[in-house]
Amino acid sequence: EKTAETRAALIKEINLNSKSKKVYQDAFKQAVIGGYSALRLGTEYVDDDTFDQELKVFGFLDPTWCYWDISAQTPTKVDGMGCGYRSRVSREKFKSLYGKALEAKIGAESSDDSRMMFCDDNSITIFHHYKREYNSTTLYQLSNGQSIKQADLDKLEKQEIDGKEMLIFAGEPVAILDQRKIPQYKVIFEMYAGEYCLDEVEFVTEQ
């Protein structure tokens, strides 16, 4: 219950900081006119003189620049293995952000290289891509009714009680009643211009 309240408060704060009413209204308008829209959750520095960041909800001027995994079946595409969006910047701005040397490597003339489709003499398209990487873990059911994943189980103290090895959970001895394999994902965020990776980080999330 406490976790749910904390999450609700966090979501409310994010929405207020994002001026979300306007973002949601624009997204609804796009969905009515074009059949769909998109939103993204991201971070932004509080100001230019700090490293502090805050979460915000962002919309898109043109949702057709967004894309999703074609195998996703849910209306919100949350079951997909990837998604992303494109943004386009001038070559001058790209140079200021990523350096003149990298800007010069991204060709501006027609060729057989597929990356040339996403740039011209004046601008470069950047791909912002989120991908899920699949793994699996084991979920255990304990005798006290709790369920726990492998990583947390490994942290539990073990004691021998009446000749049987028991786990100590919250100060009480427990046994494992059942177990099963469950999917576990991590989300990687990548930014590409042509074939060049501009950034790659693990997106903080729980799947």
Side-chain angles (χ1 to χ4, degrees), residues 7-182:
R7 288 180 176 175
L10 179 60
I11 291 171
K12 182 177 180 180
E13 182 179 354
I14 291 170
N15 285 335
L16 291 174
N17 288 345
S18 306
K19 300 179 180 177
S20 60
K21 185 175 181 179
K22 177 68 164 58
V23 174
Y24 293 145
Q25 286 176 341
D26 289 343
F28 179 75
K29 178 180 178 181
Q30 291 169 345
V32 170
I33 296 174
Y36 72 96
S37 186
L39 299 169
R40 71 177 180 89
L41 187 66
T43 59
E44 192 173 76
Y45 287 108
V46 176
D47 57 55
D48 293 336
D49 299 319
T50 181
F51 288 96
D52 295 336
Q53 298 183 64
E54 58 185 2
L55 287 168
K56 285 192 172 185
V57 178
F58 297 90
F60 295 92
L61 292 176
D62 185 352
T64 64
W65 279 53
C66 304
Y67 60 89
W68 295 266
D69 182 357
I70 60 172
S71 65
Q73 298 296 311
T74 62
T76 55
K77 309 298 183 184
V78 295
D79 57 328
M81 294 299 290
C83 66
Y85 62 96
R86 296 174 291 154
S87 63
R88 201 161 182 86
V89 298
S90 69
R91 284 187 171 270
E92 287 301 315
K93 184 173 182 178
F94 189 92
K95 275 191 281 190
S96 70
L97 292 173
Y98 304 106
K100 186 176 181 179
L102 181 56
E103 182 272 333
K105 291 180 181 179
I106 302 178
E109 298 178 358
S110 177
S111 80
D112 292 334
D113 192 331
S114 62
R115 75 177 186 273
M116 303 301 181
M117 298 168 55
F118 305 109
C119 61
D120 55 32
D121 291 333
N122 301 311
S123 62
I124 294 173
T125 296
I126 297 175
F127 282 83
H128 310 252
H129 184 69
Y130 300 86
K131 66 177 182 181
R132 269 179 167 175
E133 291 189 354
Y134 174 82
N135 202 343
S136 66
T137 189
T138 304
L139 182 69
Y140 296 89
Q141 183 179 8
L142 304 180
S143 55
N144 63 352
Q146 296 290 324
S147 296
I148 188 171
K149 293 181 181 178
Q150 183 70 61
D152 295 319
L153 183 82
D154 293 339
K155 299 175 184 177
L156 296 182
E157 179 188 351
K158 297 178 181 178
Q159 287 186 9
E160 186 172 320
I161 302 176
D162 296 332
K164 182 183 292 186
E165 185 178 77
M166 303 290 288
L167 300 169
I168 306 302
F169 186 95
E172 299 291 333
V174 295
I176 297 173
L177 299 181
D178 200 1
Q179 65 184 71
R180 66 185 180 93
K181 287 288 186 182
I182 59 171

